[in-house]
Amino acid sequence: DIQMTQSPSSLSASVGDRVTITCRASQNIDNYLTWYQQKPGKAPKLLIYTTSNLQSGVPSRFSGSGSGTDFTLTINSLQPEDFGAYFCQQTYITPQTFGQGTKVEIK
Amino acid sequence: QVQLQESGPGLVKPSETLTVTCNVSGYSISSGYYWGWLRQPPGKGLEWIGNIDHSGSTDYSPSLRGRVSISLDPSENQFYLKMTSVTAADTAVYYCTRMPDSSGPSHYWGQGTLVTVSP
């Protein structure tokens, strides 16, 4: 299975800050990288697919980049509603696998 | 508006069989797309279980293959997850999702249903 490693596991940032979360794959996954946001007690919500494509309705402050094995989710100007957990997922090869998650807290 | 909603038993005894249903509204499951199952143990990360396409072709996680099966019922517009010989490690929130293809992300999710495996 492809291992997905996210960092950091948690972070605390202020409103307006720029936040970066990284995801590293144990082997090349081309651009088959997805990012989700999950609020407590809720299902994950799709943010970005195929590395950098913003899902409809997702604010433009979210962006994704990378290729191969190293990927980044950036939140420009963090907002209070951005708290929650963020997960990366590779869909290049089955079984699809996820990173362990990054918990974002608003200071 | 596509909506997915899971329903499950809530509590299952060890060694028994778990069945979770996903009811789909707003789209006919036999018309296209892939339909998947994922799970999340309490306080932990996400695990992909498998998926089924609109024609009934399936793909499963190797770690669960042999214990899981996914099927669909176009007449009810539902699809199902069946997992045999459950243990406490199968305690999780089970989510059903829709994907554009086998390599695509889960665009649509159900709200999830918690299944606890306990005597």
Side-chain angles (χ1 to χ4, degrees):
Chain A
D1 298 2
I2 295 177
Q3 305 303 313
M4 304 299 293
T5 304
Q6 269 183 254
S7 62
S9 57
S10 66
L11 65 90
S12 180
S14 300
V15 172
D17 283 353
R18 184 182 187 188
V19 168
T20 299
I21 299 169
T22 64
C23 185
R24 174 165 288 177
S26 60
Q27 65 185 75
N28 175 48
I29 59 169
D30 197 357
N31 67 341
Y32 289 87
L33 194 283
T34 303
W35 290 99
Y36 299 94
Q37 176 195 63
Q38 187 177 32
K39 298 286 181 76
K42 299 293 187 182
K45 171 188 172 184
L46 175 63
L47 295 177
I48 290 171
Y49 58 97
T50 48
T51 298
S52 59
N53 291 282
L54 199 65
Q55 170 66 357
S56 175
V58 174
S60 59
R61 63 180 179 273
F62 291 91
S63 64
S65 64
S67 67
T69 60
D70 293 309
F71 301 86
T72 299
L73 171 69
T74 299
I75 310 173
N76 281 304
S77 189
L78 189 71
Q79 297 300 301
E81 61 267 29
D82 297 336
F83 76 93
Y86 291 80
F87 294 93
C88 62
Q89 177 199 26
Q90 68 81 18
T91 58
Y92 184 64
I93 293 176
T94 59
Q96 299 179 2
T97 47
F98 290 83
Q100 78 279 15
T102 296
K103 188 174 181 180
V104 173
E105 174 192 273
I106 309 296
K107 279 183 185 174
Chain B
Q1 175 73 6
V2 178
Q3 292 187 318
L4 291 78
Q5 182 160 336
E6 306 87 349
S7 58
L11 181 65
V12 181
K13 290 182 169 54
S15 80
E16 293 188 343
T17 295
L18 157 70
T19 300
V20 187
T21 299
C22 184
N23 186 70
V24 179
S25 59
Y27 187 83
S28 171
I29 63 174
S30 58
S31 296
Y33 293 105
Y34 280 66
W35 306 91
W37 288 99
L38 298 95
R39 68 180 181 179
Q40 186 173 35
K44 296 187 178 180
L46 293 155
E47 180 183 12
W48 180 80
I49 298 172
N51 60 42
I52 187 167
D53 72 9
H54 65 282
S55 69
S57 177
T58 55
D59 192 11
Y60 301 119
S61 173
S63 67
L64 296 171
R65 195 170 290 140
R67 286 206 301 133
V68 299
S69 64
I70 298 173
S71 59
L72 51 79
D73 184 347
S75 67
E76 296 288 338
N77 217 40
Q78 294 176 335
F79 63 105
Y80 311 96
L81 168 68
K82 183 177 177 180
M83 183 179 294
T84 61
S85 304
V86 298
T87 70
D90 297 311
T91 294
V93 175
Y94 286 78
Y95 294 104
C96 59
T97 75
R98 190 185 91 170
M99 299 148 289
D101 52 58
S102 62
S103 301
S106 291
H107 285 261
Y108 293 94
W109 294 68
Q111 84 283 358
T113 187
L114 174 62
V115 178
T116 301
V117 180
S118 180

